Amino acid sequence: MASEISTEDEIVSGTVSVLLPLALPRPYDYKVPAGVQVRPGSYVIVPLGPQEVIGVVWGEGTGEVGHNRLRPVTEVLDVPPMPEVLRRFVDWVAGYTVSPPGSVLRLAIRAPGALEPPRMRTAYRLGAARPSRMTPARARAVEVAEDGFARTVRELAEEAGVSDGVVRGLVDAGALLPVDLPTEAPFPAPLPDMPGVALSPEQAEAAGLLRGHVEARRFAAVLLDGVTGSGKTEVYFEAVAAALSQGKQVLILLPEIALTSQFLDRFERRFGCRPAEWHSDLSTRERRRVWRGVAEGHVPVVVGARSALFLPFPELGLIVVDEEHDAAFKQEDGVPYHARDMAVVRASLGQFPIVLSSATPSLETAVNAEQGRYARVRLEARHGVAELPDVTAIDMRADPPERGRWLSPVLVREIHKALEAGEQSMLFLNRRGYAPLTLCRTCGHRIECPQCSAWLVEHRFRRELVCHHCGYSAPVPKACPSCGAEDALVACGPGVERIAEEVAELFPQARAAIVSSDNLRGPAAHEAVFAAIEAREVDIVIGTQIVAKGHHFPWLTLVGVVDADLGLENGDLRAGERTFQLLQQVAGRAGRAERPGRVFLQSFMPEHGVMRALVSGRRDEFLAREAAARERVGLPPFGRLVGVVVSAPDAALAQKVAREMSRRVPRTEDVSVLGPAPAPLALLRGRTRLRFLVKAGRSVNIQSFVRAWLEDMKIPNAVRVSVDVDPYSFM
Ligand SMILES: [Zn+2]
Ligand SMILES: [Zn+2]
C-alpha cells in the first residue's frame, strides 16, 4: 500500500517516497541531494531503470532500501506541489477501484507539458527616456504606449498603425524597455455579483438552500431534483456565486456531450465571462493552460467532463455534478471509476458541499436522498409558462407501420399536424447508421465483426459495414460472404439513417436533419446543426441520444420515440432505469416555450412499468418500485458488485486462467462469486472474454476480498484481468 501522506507542507530531507504514474504497487524511495528543496506533493523527475520519469513526492522515505543504495532525485519541477487533499484522493480512488495508485496518479498529471515552466514572451513598456530623433510614426507609437501597458512589438505596431521597424527603432533607442510576460493569456474572473436572470420564488428558495450549504463550509451532498426546464442550472449558479464570493474554486462536471456553447453562454450571462473548459476536444496547449491555471489558483471555475475531477485545485470549495444520472460519468477503460461517486468522496475529503443535479436522478442518488444521507432540494414547476409535455404510448401491435416502414400511422398523422402548424418535430432513435443487422435471404447468414461477437451495422451514407465496438469497417459486399448468393443481402431493423429515408418519402416537402455522431464530426458541426434547428431551418430532427441533452428548441412541440423498447432489450440491472431516464429526457425536449409539447412512444409493450411511468409522469413511484425490486435481490445500491473480466487473444489460455482463478476464490459466507461465464461480448477486438461477478452485502469490504483473491495469482503476459467495482456495463 501507499505510504502515509505527510500533511505538513514542510521541506522533506534525507529520503522521500515518490509515486510514479505507472502501474506499480507502491511509491519508491529516492535520495534528496543536498541543497535541493523537496516538499510533500512536489513534482520531481527521478531515474527509473535507464529512464527518467516525472513523479510526485508522496511523503518521507519508507526506509525499506538502504540510503546508500538509493538513487537521487534528478530535478524538482517549478510547479505548485500537488495539494495534500488530491494526494489523499488519489490513494482513496486507488483503494476503492482496486487499482495501482500510480495508475490513478496518471489521471491527475496527464496534461502534456503542464509541468514544464511556462514559456515567456518579450513585451515592451515605455521608459522615461525619449528618442533624440522623433518622427510622426515614432510619436504615434509613443502616444499609444503612454498608457503604461506592456505590448509585444507586433501589438504596439498594429495599435499605432506603424511598421514593426518603427517600434524596433524605439527599442534600440532605449525608449521602450523589455519585460517578460507569460505566453498564456490570463483567465477572466467570473463576477458573482452580476445580476443574474430573475428567479421565480420557488427557484429563489432552492438557490437560498444551496447557498446555505456553501456558506456552512462543510461537507454535504445535495440532490437538486427538478423537472426538465425548471431552471436547475440558474439555481445552482447561485451556489457557484456563493463559493466564488468566498474566494473558492468551483468545478462543474457535465457529461461531455452536454458541454455545449448553449451551456457556456448561460454561464456567461450569469457571470460575465466564460469558464475554463476541460474535455477531450481541448488542444494540448489549452490543456496545459487550464491545468497550470488551476494548480496556481488562477482558474476560479472549471466546467468539464469526468477527468476534470483530478485537476490539482488548491482551493476547491464546491462541486456540481449536472445530469448526475448520466452513464457517461462512468469511465470503463483504464481505471474504471464513477466520476459522480468519486466527486462525492472528493467533496468529503475537502470538507465542502457537492450538488448533484438531475431531472431523473439515478436510483443510487434517489435512495441516498430517501434515506437521508443526501439532502434534497426540489423544483417542481417548469420555469416560465411551459407545461410538461403530454406523453402517449402507441401500441405497435394495434397501430403497426406499413410493411417495410417504422413510423406508425398515428405518429405520421401527428407529424403532418406539426408541419401544418409550422412547428418542429423530433424523431428519436438511439441507434446510429442505417440498419443494425445485414442478413442473407438465401442462407440466413448474419454478417458479424471478425474481431467481436457483434453484428456489423450498415452505414449507408458511408457505404460501409461498421463494428460499433471496435471500429472495424468494410465495404458492403455484393454477394453473401457465406453462400455467395448475389443481391441476397437485406438490411434488418432501423437506424437513424433509415428513418431519415422514410421521412424523405413521407414528407418530401419537409426539411430534415440527422443528428448523430456519425453525421456530425467535431463540435463546430454540432453547433451548426443546433443553430439551424433553433433558427427553424429544420422541420424534422432525426437524432440519437446526442439530441437528448440540454438543448432548448422553442419551436419543437412533437417528439416521437421510434423504438421505446430498445434499451430494455439488454437485460442488465439498470435497463429499466436507464430507459426511463433517457426517454424522460428526450420527452423534455418537447414544448419548452409557450407551445405545449406532445410525446409519442412507439412500443410493443405499452403495459411495461417504464412506459406506464413515462405516460403517467409518476417518476417517484417508478423509482420506488425499482428500488424495492433491487432490494429484494440485494443488487446495488442495496448490495455490492464487482465485475472481473479475464481476456486473452487465445481462448484456451483465457479459459485456463479463469479456471485457476475459480479454484482460488477465498471461501467466505458474505461474498459469492458467479462465473466464470463467457461475457455477452464473448469476443472483443479479437480477445476472448470471460466474466466473474462478485456479489456481496452493502457492509462487506468487497475490495479487500478481491485483493486477497487476486493477490498471488500469476497472470501470463498475454492475459488481462480487469476489475470493475460498481460495474455499469455487463457486456
Ligand atoms: Zn448467404
Ligand atoms: Zn468489432
Side-chain angles (χ1 to χ4, degrees):
M1 269 324 306
S3 60
E4 276 297 288
I5 287 175
S6 311
T7 47
E8 294 89 348
D9 270 305
E10 55 192 31
I11 293 164
V12 193
S13 56
T15 65
V16 285
S17 71
V18 175
L19 186 62
L20 304 174
L22 303 165
L24 302 166
R26 60 176 171 277
Y28 288 166
D29 280 5
Y30 287 90
K31 199 156 40 178
V32 181
V36 172
Q37 296 208 332
V38 177
R39 294 166 195 277
S42 288
Y43 295 86
V44 292
I45 296 178
V46 294
L48 182 74
Q51 287 172 297
E52 303 247 270
V53 198
I54 291 177
V56 175
V57 174
W58 227 240
E60 291 183 15
T62 56
E64 281 170 12
V65 180
H67 187 266
N68 53 354
R69 286 169 47 217
L70 287 180
R71 300 175 74 181
V73 168
T74 312
E75 194 186 335
V76 183
L77 298 172
D78 183 19
V79 188
M82 180 178 279
E84 186 246 340
V85 63
L86 180 55
R87 285 177 278 136
R88 277 197 286 147
F89 182 57
V90 166
D91 274 346
W92 201 97
V93 174
Y96 189 83
T97 58
V98 196
S99 305
S103 302
V104 181
L105 178 68
R106 194 157 52 203
L107 300 173
I109 62 177
R110 64 171 176 198
L115 299 165
E116 290 158 19
R119 264 168 282 175
M120 303 302 260
R121 59 187 180 145
T122 307
Y124 297 91
R125 181 177 290 147
L126 196 62
R130 292 289 174 273
S132 49
R133 195 175 63 84
M134 197 56 122
T135 62
R138 283 186 166 192
R140 275 205 303 281
V142 167
E143 200 184 327
V144 169
E146 266 169 354
D147 63 9
F149 287 113
R151 292 172 177 82
T152 62
V153 170
R154 192 78 275 277
E155 285 164 358
L156 182 51
E158 224 168 68
E159 258 184 84
V162 302
S163 72
D164 288 9
V166 170
V167 178
R168 283 189 214 289
L170 287 169
V171 173
D172 293 340
L176 289 172
L177 306 175
V179 274
D180 282 338
L181 293 182
T183 39
E184 311 291 11
F187 288 89
L191 303 169
D193 298 328
M194 289 240 313
V197 295
L199 299 182
S200 70
E202 187 195 33
Q203 290 171 332
E205 193 191 334
L209 290 170
L210 295 188
R211 271 183 176 275
H213 281 291
V214 173
E215 276 149 17
R217 295 177 192 247
R218 59 172 176 263
F219 171 71
V222 187
L223 167 60
L224 177 58
D225 179 356
V227 297
T228 310
S230 60
K232 295 186 291 297
T233 311
E234 279 67 29
V235 168
Y236 73 62
F237 277 171
E238 296 314 302
V240 173
L244 290 173
S245 301
Q246 294 173 352
K248 295 288 187 185
Q249 292 173 296
V250 176
L251 170 62
I252 301 174
L253 288 178
L254 283 170
E256 187 137 356
I257 58 173
L259 214 171
T260 59
S261 64
Q262 262 189 352
F263 180 87
L264 299 171
D265 289 344
R266 281 166 96 175
F267 187 93
E268 186 168 358
R269 275 199 294 280
R270 173 60 183 84
F271 294 105
C273 67
R274 289 200 164 199
E277 294 170 53
W278 186 265
H279 50 79
S280 61
D281 277 336
L282 231 49
S283 68
T284 304
R285 192 197 158 123
E286 258 315 278
R287 240 165 216 277
R288 185 181 63 213
R289 174 170 172 254
V290 173
W291 194 95
R292 189 109 197 169
V294 168
E296 288 169 353
H298 302 152
V299 173
V301 180
V302 176
V303 173
R306 60 183 181 226
S307 61
L309 192 52
F310 291 93
L311 286 170
F313 295 97
E315 280 298 333
L316 196 55
L318 174 68
I319 300 178
V320 176
V321 183
D322 201 347
E323 313 275 4
E324 67 84 29
H325 60 275
D326 199 293
F329 285 121
K330 178 68 199 272
Q331 163 146 318
E332 301 288 351
D333 308 320
V335 177
Y337 67 91
H338 199 299
R340 175 200 61 220
D341 298 347
M342 295 305 109
V344 173
V345 173
R346 176 70 182 80
S348 155
L349 291 175
Q351 282 302 302
F352 56 77
I354 177 167
V355 176
L356 307 175
S357 173
S358 179
T360 55
S362 63
L363 194 66
E364 277 78 2
T365 299
V367 168
N368 276 322
E370 215 51 59
Q371 299 182 344
R373 277 189 294 272
Y374 294 179
R376 189 201 293 258
V377 174
R378 277 190 195 267
L379 282 172
E380 308 280 356
R382 272 195 164 191
H383 195 37
V385 284
E387 295 284 314
L388 278 176
D390 195 25
V391 182
T392 310
I394 298 175
D395 187 340
M396 294 292 271
R397 295 163 302 191
D399 287 303
E402 288 171 42
R403 219 181 126 71
R405 296 209 192 266
W406 312 97
L407 303 179
S408 149
V410 181
L411 186 52
V412 171
R413 238 180 355 254
E414 293 296 330
I415 298 172
H416 273 299
K417 274 195 238 163
L419 281 171
E420 277 157 27
E423 296 174 358
Q424 292 171 314
S425 308
M426 182 165 88
L427 294 174
F428 174 78
L429 177 61
N430 202 16
R431 205 190 250 150
R432 295 153 48 206
Y434 184 83
L437 167 65
T438 304
L439 182 82
C440 171
R441 233 179 344 221
T442 306
C443 74
H445 177 72
R446 296 158 172 223
I447 302 187
E448 283 197 1
C449 174
Q451 310 179 69
C452 308
S453 36
W455 298 334
L456 291 181
V457 178
E458 183 184 349
H459 285 242
R460 195 154 280 192
F461 293 157
R462 285 162 63 185
R463 296 168 198 277
E464 279 181 332
L465 295 175
V466 180
C467 173
H468 285 181
H469 295 283
C470 73
Y472 169 90
S473 67
V476 182
K478 286 239 179 323
C480 169
S482 178
C483 72
E486 300 229 357
D487 299 320
L489 296 176
V490 284
C492 298
V496 277
E497 292 179 5
R498 197 167 199 175
I499 299 302
E501 191 180 85
E502 188 169 333
V503 162
E505 286 164 17
L506 291 170
F507 314 100
Q509 75 287 7
R511 298 160 298 175
I514 299 183
V515 183
S516 143
S517 56
D518 300 297
N519 305 73
L520 305 172
R521 290 290 158 98
H526 278 90
E527 298 305 338
V529 74
F530 288 130
I533 299 169
E534 246 180 297
R536 299 173 75 189
E537 289 158 16
V538 175
D539 301 309
I540 303 176
V541 183
I542 300 140
T544 61
Q545 59 173 349
I546 293 182
V547 295
K549 308 272 146 105
H551 278 278
H552 177 98
F553 304 124
W555 286 90
L556 184 79
T557 56
L558 175 67
V559 168
V561 176
V562 175
D563 185 353
D565 310 333
L566 186 59
L568 297 170
E569 280 167 17
N570 77 27
D572 83 45
L573 76 109
R574 293 184 182 85
E577 182 194 345
R578 277 194 198 160
T579 300
F580 179 83
Q581 286 161 351
L582 182 61
L583 297 187
Q584 175 93 329
Q585 228 166 13
V586 173
R589 300 305 107 205
R592 301 197 65 188
E594 290 73 23
R595 282 158 295 279
R598 282 155 305 139
V599 178
F600 291 86
L601 309 172
Q602 297 198 144
S603 173
F604 284 93
M605 36 184 172
E607 68 286 348
H608 192 286
V610 170
M611 304 308 149
R612 288 221 305 262
L614 288 164
V615 170
S616 68
R618 293 201 187 119
R619 186 201 76 187
D620 289 349
E621 225 170 81
F622 169 73
L623 283 175
R625 243 196 340 267
E626 282 282 300
R630 285 202 213 160
E631 189 166 17
R632 270 197 302 279
V633 286
L635 284 173
F638 304 97
R640 312 202 56 201
L641 289 180
V642 175
V644 178
V645 172
V646 181
S647 72
D650 173 13
L653 182 60
Q655 276 149 6
K656 184 171 162 249
V657 171
R659 270 197 306 273
E660 174 63 17
M661 284 171 63
S662 190
R663 266 196 297 277
R664 286 165 170 263
V665 169
R667 276 155 197 262
T668 145
E669 281 192 357
D670 12 326
V671 184
S672 54
V673 176
L674 313 171
L681 258 174
L683 190 68
L684 180 63
R685 295 187 181 91
R687 299 175 74 91
T688 296
R689 303 166 75 243
L690 295 151
R691 275 189 78 94
F692 291 93
L693 195 61
V694 186
K695 199 165 169 267
R698 214 188 133 94
S699 57
V700 174
N701 186 338
I702 203 165
Q703 283 88 354
S704 48
F705 174 89
V706 171
R707 263 192 295 271
W709 176 26
L710 302 178
E711 205 160 43
D712 300 320
M713 276 290 302
K714 294 269 176 297
I715 309 288
N717 276 339
V719 178
R720 235 184 349 243
V721 175
S722 38
V723 175
D724 186 0
V725 178
D726 307 334
Y728 274 64
S729 166
F730 296 84
M731 298 306 277

